[in-house]
Amino acid sequence: MSRRRILRAELRATGGAAIEARTARHRATGIGLLLVLVAALVLHTGPLRPQLTDAAWTDREYASGALGTRTTWCDTGLYRTVARGQLFAATVGTGSTSTVPVVAPVRVTQTGSSVSATPVTATSPTTNAYVYPVAASALQSTSSTLESAVAFGSVTSAQNNQYGNAASNGQVVGGSGAVSNTGVLNTALTGAPDLATVDVRALVTPTLLATALGATPAADVTGGLRLIPGTVGSTTTRDSCIERNTSSRAYTVSGLRLEAESASLRAAATQTTSAATTIQNATASTGAIATQSAANVNTVLTNRQALLNLLTPSGTSGTLSLSVPVNVPGAVSSLTGQTLGAGTPVQLNLATGRMTVDLAALTSASTGVNGLAPNTEVLTATVLNTARTSVGTLLPAYQTSVLNAISTALNTSVATLRITSTLSLLNLGLVQEPLALTYTGTLNQLNAAQGGTVAVSVGVSNSCGLATTGSCTTVRNDLNSASGQTDLRTAVANALTTTVYGTATAAQPQGQITTAVTTAQTTLQALLAALPNAVSAQVNVQADVAGARPVVPLDTGEIGVTALRIGSAPAGRTAWLAFGGSAAGPNAYLPAP
């Protein structure tokens, strides 16, 4: 109603009766005088001429009575108002918090002359204000109703308030979460526990998750995929006084992170430990290094035999001794138990296999997910690509650290590899001559010798009998030649590649490590890239503004804000959870009777 119409209404209500009565009396006097004049004209005969007369009168009219005016349009008693505070609301499948009275919102209704609240157990700390905090046990009771998609912990009194203030002067405040009993939003709450844990697998369902993420990433996180909000809160403030008619909405989300229990990430650590144990066992006196080296050298002896293979090797065996013991598992143990990226927004706990992504920190290092435009999506390509890049940096760096640690452990000891064989004439055992080969150097050097970059001592000795002196000498000279030495070094280097150093396949120990790390990196990066297909996380949700996903609907004339909304993204699945909601309205002016 405009001010002009309101003023007319109040003038009629206050002074209108007196004015109308006075006007009626003057109207009657004027009519009487007009009748006298008409009668005089009728009685007069002859032509009319102007004449002087002594008759005259003065008519002054006054309006009297009380004039209804206002100095302000914000007086008490002029407005009907409503305020609402709702910490938590959700719908998951067929379950809804609307059927759980203990988590009902506080709603404060002002009629202009009285104020009341629901639930009726809400308390009033000040005039027109009511609070109805939601107990932690009440929040926890919603889990089964919501298909176990959310779990609440020990919520503190600083996190669970629901507030409403509806005054008859048009001022309204709704709030929930980190809101005081005077309606002040706490945007700097620290030290409080996480508000809730949202199980994305239950929210989305395993079938839809496999479709949204891909079969491999979905199977990788069967141990858990969660979104965890910290403290939340919001206030909606509205001044419905005709002179001002202003409103504002504010929200806070202290933190939001993603947690994934990744089998492949855990395997990156367990496979490292397994490979280190395999390598350690290979360094035993007659372990894999010695036996595989003996087999490879036997092949060289066979292929390089002179004199039409009259002398053939048999019984080739190897023995490895180290100047000091090596401890490969010990060299990697501190690495397999570490958290990669500790203290940064993306952390990979190798011991547990948990990937933690601080979504708030990746959104803004200074403000987190606060101060964003209405209906802002947190799980964006920009944020998740940053997380993917971190994963792609942390895991390769871990792999490099592990391989370096193994190399260092193996390089601290001088190895002596002795391979013995027996040469027999035509392999008939008629003449047997012993042959001994000695390799000396660190295992790293023996392995690097394959490329010819490190000189490795390969000693060849054999004792030739009188009958085979010529043949034995020929064999010795052949093995001591440049090509013979190269073949012998290559034989051992290949053995070390197979048993210790190879990274080409998972069948090789260090390849076991690189394969596991590559698998973890590929799987986690695929998970992060596809996550928006599965779940949405919006902040500053305003249902009356374009871009809002389904949330608690607003009444006609009501405005509001939800601090955080988490929901399933795939079509055909109704599942969402709203944290920290507040609203104000509908409000109305009450004109004077």
Side-chain angles (χ1 to χ4, degrees), residues 288-529:
I289 293 174
T291 57
Q292 188 61 53
S293 293
N296 289 0
V297 166
N298 190 76
T299 300
V300 171
L301 295 176
T302 300
N303 292 338
R304 293 189 65 89
Q305 273 298 306
L307 301 178
L308 301 176
N309 289 328
L310 293 177
L311 298 176
T312 58
S314 63
T316 305
S317 62
T319 302
L320 177 68
S321 62
L322 301 173
S323 61
V324 294
V326 298
N327 184 359
V328 180
V332 302
S333 62
S334 61
L335 300 175
T336 58
Q338 69 178 317
T339 296
L340 306 178
T344 69
V346 179
Q347 301 182 34
L348 306 178
N349 188 319
L350 295 168
T352 63
R354 176 178 296 174
M355 175 179 70
T356 302
V357 179
D358 189 336
L359 298 168
L362 290 182
T363 300
S364 172
S366 57
T367 60
V369 293
N370 295 307
L372 299 176
N375 308 319
T376 295
E377 178 64 53
V378 176
L379 299 175
T380 64
T382 299
V383 169
L384 296 174
N385 282 341
T386 302
R388 291 177 68 242
T389 299
S390 294
V391 170
T393 299
L394 293 172
L395 283 172
Y398 163 74
Q399 175 180 301
T400 299
S401 297
V402 167
L403 298 185
N404 287 342
I406 293 173
S407 177
T408 299
L410 296 176
N411 209 40
T412 57
S413 179
V414 176
T416 299
L417 175 63
R418 183 176 175 81
I419 297 176
T420 60
S421 184
T422 299
L423 299 179
S424 65
L425 183 61
L426 299 176
N427 200 25
L428 296 176
L430 299 177
V431 178
Q432 294 184 341
E433 299 291 348
L435 172 68
L437 306 177
T438 303
Y439 295 75
T440 304
T442 66
L443 292 174
N444 288 355
Q445 290 173 330
L446 296 180
N447 181 64
Q450 181 178 4
T453 58
V454 177
V456 178
S457 172
V458 180
V460 179
S461 65
N462 62 325
S463 177
C464 298
L466 183 63
T468 57
T469 299
S471 297
C472 287
T473 301
T474 300
V475 170
R476 182 187 302 118
N477 292 340
D478 179 59
L479 295 178
N480 280 324
S481 68
S483 63
Q485 290 282 295
T486 297
D487 285 350
L488 291 175
R489 285 197 298 268
T490 301
V492 172
N494 287 341
L496 286 167
T497 296
T498 302
T499 58
V500 173
Y501 291 97
T503 60
T505 69
Q508 299 166 329
Q510 295 194 41
Q512 181 179 348
I513 297 170
T514 58
T515 298
V517 171
T518 299
T519 299
Q521 178 182 336
T522 301
T523 303
L524 291 177
Q525 288 183 319
L527 167 70
L528 291 169

